Structures are given as C-alpha cells and as structure tokens.
Amino acid sequence: MRRALALLFAVGFSALAAGCGDGFSDAEKAAIASLSLSAQQPLPPDPTNRFADQAAPAAFGATLFFEQRLSRDGSVACSTCHMIDRQFQDDRPFGIAVGETKRRTMPLAGVAYSPWFFWDGRRDSLWAQALVPLEDMNEHAGTRTAYAHLIAREFKDRYERIFGPLPDLADLPASAGPFGTETERAAWAAVPEAKRAGIDTIFANIGKALAAFERTIVHQPTRFDRFADALAAGYEPEGDAVFSDEEVLGLKLFIGKANCSTCHNGPRFTDDFFHNTGVPPAVGKPPDLGRETATAEVLADPFNCLGRFRDGDEAACGELRHMVRDGPELRRAYKTPSLRGAAGRAPYMHAGQIKTLEEVVDHYARAPQPAEGHSEAKQLQLSERERAALVAFLGTLSPGGAD
C-alpha cells in the first residue's frame, strides 16, 4: 500500500513539475522562451516597398488577393491556393490552379519576416514573389498587359489614389508579356521599351499591394505560447496551457536530443534557410534541384532588390549582394518551413512526399541518403515513446488544436 501511494505521489509530483516548469533547466527555459510569439520582434519595414505598411495599399492588395480576374480564364485568385480557412494553403501535395505546380503551396502567416521566398528562395522580396504566380502558366497564367488593362478598367481610381496616374495604354495588346504563349511573347517584344517600362511599373505595384496585404497575415498564439510565457514568468500554466507529460517530453526532445530546433528555431520555428535533409524527389515531376538553380533566377529577376522597380536605395540589398550563389550544399536544399500549425497541414515537405507527422519524425530519425547532394540530417536513436512525444508536442503549435 505504501509503495502504491509513493508511486502515485511521484507521478503526481512529476506532472505538477512538468506543468509549472520545474522540470526544465535554465538553458531549456531560455530555449523555450526564444520560441514563443512573445519573443518575436516587430515586423521590420520593407525599404524596397514604400507602400508595405500603408492601409490603403493593404486594402487594395486584399481585393486583388481574392480577385479571380487576375488569371487567364477568370477562375484563379491568390486565394484559390492560399485558402483563408486552411492557414492560407490548400492541403495538396501540389498547388492546383490553371494547371498543376511541382511543389506545395506554402502558408502565409508570418511570411513577411523571411528574406527569401518560395521553397527555393528564388525571389528576394514579398512583392517580387507575389508577381511570379500571376505569370506562371500552371498558376494564374495571365500576362502583364492583360493585368494592366484590368487595373485600368476595374480599379483605376483606387490604383491612382495610391500609386499615381496610370500610363497611356492606348494601342497596347490585349494580352502580351515575357511569358505565356508564343504569340503573347512576340506581342510583348513588339511593344516599345518605354511603354513596356510603364506596364512593368503597374505590374510591380500589383505585387507591392499584394505584399502589403500579406504582411498583415500573422500567426496567432497557441497552447505552446501560453505554456512558454507561463514558464518564462515563473507561474504555473492554467487551462489548455498545461502540458501533458508526453507533450513536455516532446518539447524537451525538440530543443535537445532530436535537434529539431537547430533549423526550426525562433518564434516562427524556422531559420529561413535552405537545407538538404534527404527528402526524396517528387514522383512524376521534372527534376528539382531546389536552391541550386534558384540563385541564378533571383539574380536575373528584373524585380529583385537591385532592379529599377525597387523603392529606396541599394542599402537594402545586402542579402542579395552577399547571397551564397553556388556550392554543393545548395543541391536539393529547400527552405525550412515554419512548424506553427503544421499538425493540421499534411502532407509535408516541398512536394507533399511525406503524408503524416509520424512519418516526418521517422524520416529524420532514419536520415536516409539523398537522391542528390549531401544531407545534413543525422540518424537519431528515438524510441516509439519519444517519436510519439514529438508528434504530441507539434500539436501544441496550432491555435485551435491540431485540426
């Protein structure tokens, strides 16, 4: 009887210690505090987009975000893949719009903090990123002159109140651009350079308005944040902020033995960098080398930080100037995604190659050899209990639970 009571007391004390944080070292507490949304710094300004934090451009950007006429066939908006009720993503392994893309749709909360955009970082600003799907033949599949005509026809007053007078669009082809069909590309090449520059300015401003809206999409506090804040303040968590023993174990593993926080660090649970972790290629898709090919693309982008459509001066272009342009570490390296909300965002990896969080944990424990390049992942000795605990902890990173 006394042994049973002693066991009950020990279990109860263990749970209480886990709940109030007495089971964590000072180093662990500091690591946990660094992951809380409370530790997140205010969103820095984007000096390349002078409209980034203005209300009117953000409101206009919201309109454009849900505007299906910003597509070739009038059926696709940004919100088609970035669904507002699904963390601004679509739960698919590949985005589906006018056609099917070769990668997953990324969620948008907190994306404005990143210095690089897309899974491979092929754009260096949020507004430049917003332009790419508009011309991609598998996404919106539209053209620059078609978008200019749409703005002039449907949004002239709103556009001009924000960005100033539209250029003369007389005699401009209905649909022409540097991408699209052969006829559309030829029509674009025939447009005088000065007129093309005016259309490019409209196009850039569309991206700047969309970015102003997307900067307002932020992460919401979760059970983890309430637990972390209580731990940092030295008081006992209450309500849903109380972690189970399994969740506590998962958190300890996350910041310790499992090495997850090496890449998934900071309040957004990402280092915003690119890593090869041995994720297999997407079946049935063209070869995808990730960051290796993206560096040349971002340098060639006319809308990059060094281009003439940037607001401000070149002092903002340090990331692009000092970017690592080549090297074996870039092959099949992809951006570390945020883990906030990940429990409700299957499938996983850049092309949905892994279906469940349990399989994700198994992948990193096994650390398989990559198809190409060198994987940074190292094999981990994790018991079934430890693997389940990691998955349980990841569930605390969703605002309303895992679903």
Side-chain angles (χ1 to χ4, degrees):
M1 180 67 175
R2 278 184 292 182
R3 288 183 61 189
L5 288 173
L7 179 61
L8 285 172
F9 177 82
V11 171
F13 179 80
S14 174
L16 178 61
C20 68
D22 289 343
F24 293 98
S25 69
D26 288 344
E28 287 174 326
K29 290 178 182 179
I32 293 166
S34 74
L35 298 171
S36 172
L37 278 181
S38 298
Q40 184 161 270
Q41 297 298 308
L43 182 62
D46 179 359
T48 73
N49 178 7
R50 69 181 187 274
F51 309 99
D53 297 307
Q54 296 179 18
F60 185 40
T63 297
L64 296 177
F65 189 88
F66 296 95
E67 177 54 75
Q68 291 183 318
R69 288 173 294 182
L70 275 178
S71 64
R72 178 174 293 272
D73 61 6
S75 68
V76 174
C78 302
S79 59
T80 300
C81 293
H82 296 285
M83 300 167 66
I84 192 170
D85 61 342
R86 296 302 304 150
Q87 301 183 42
F88 288 89
Q89 53 91 50
D90 59 8
D91 294 333
R92 298 177 184 271
F94 311 109
I96 296 179
V98 170
E100 183 177 89
T101 70
K102 67 177 182 180
R103 294 182 184 149
R104 278 216 66 181
T105 301
M106 300 190 85
L108 295 181
V111 67
Y113 280 90
S114 181
W116 303 106
F117 300 87
F118 293 110
W119 282 101
D120 56 8
R122 65 186 184 274
R123 291 298 181 270
D124 66 340
S125 72
L126 187 55
W127 63 269
Q129 180 280 326
L131 299 175
V132 176
L134 298 179
E135 295 185 299
D136 189 302
M137 293 303 287
N138 287 319
E139 298 189 59
H140 296 241
T143 63
R144 292 183 197 179
T145 65
Y147 295 140
H149 285 303
L150 175 68
I151 294 295
R153 185 175 66 249
E154 303 292 340
F155 303 107
K156 183 176 187 293
D157 289 344
R158 289 186 72 180
Y159 179 95
E160 292 190 332
R161 283 198 299 270
I162 298 167
F163 300 109
L166 285 163
D168 179 16
L169 303 183
D171 303 322
L172 192 71
S175 185
F179 305 99
T181 66
E182 183 178 349
T183 300
E184 289 165 340
R185 296 195 302 271
W188 178 253
V191 174
E193 184 177 350
K195 206 155 196 173
R196 286 203 307 266
I199 302 310
D200 284 344
T201 298
I202 296 173
F203 192 52
N205 287 337
I206 290 172
K208 290 176 182 180
L210 285 167
F213 166 63
E214 291 173 359
R215 283 170 66 87
T216 70
I217 303 171
V218 297
H219 289 110
Q220 299 301 313
T222 69
R223 289 186 58 222
F224 165 76
D225 297 302
R226 292 186 281 278
F227 176 88
D229 291 347
L231 189 66
Y235 60 79
E236 185 173 341
E238 298 178 348
D240 72 349
V242 177
F243 273 22
S244 69
D245 288 347
E246 184 179 42
E247 290 164 342
V248 168
L249 174 60
L251 173 54
K252 282 178 169 285
L253 290 165
F254 187 91
I255 61 175
K257 175 182 175 181
N259 297 321
C260 307
S261 59
T262 300
C263 298
H264 294 285
N265 50 50
R268 293 185 301 116
F269 285 77
T270 172
D271 61 359
D272 289 314
F273 204 64
F274 306 92
H275 305 276
N276 181 335
T277 57
V279 177
V283 176
K285 293 294 180 180
D288 184 349
L289 297 180
R291 185 63 172 164
E292 183 177 66
T293 54
T295 55
E297 188 171 342
V298 70
L299 287 169
D301 177 27
F303 300 101
N304 70 21
C305 188
L306 295 173
R308 61 179 172 174
F309 301 100
R310 173 207 71 231
D311 296 318
D313 59 37
E314 291 187 7
C317 303
E319 289 280 358
L320 186 60
R321 287 188 179 281
H322 301 294
M323 171 183 68
V324 176
R325 301 187 180 192
D326 51 43
E329 70 276 15
L330 304 184
R331 174 156 291 202
R332 291 189 55 78
Y334 300 91
K335 188 176 182 181
T336 306
S338 169
L339 292 183
R340 287 190 172 271
R345 204 166 62 234
Y348 301 98
M349 308 306 178
H350 64 275
Q353 298 99 317
I354 302 181
K355 305 307 178 187
T356 68
L357 280 179
E358 287 81 3
E359 292 171 347
V360 171
V361 172
D362 178 67
H363 169 84
Y364 283 107
R366 290 185 297 108
Q369 290 300 306
E372 296 177 272
H374 173 72
S375 175
E376 297 177 33
K378 306 297 182 185
Q379 286 190 350
L380 299 169
Q381 297 299 317
L382 296 175
S383 68
E384 289 301 316
R385 175 172 173 262
E386 289 173 326
R387 297 182 189 208
L390 278 168
V391 173
F393 165 66
L394 292 173
T396 72
L397 302 179
S398 297
D403 298 327

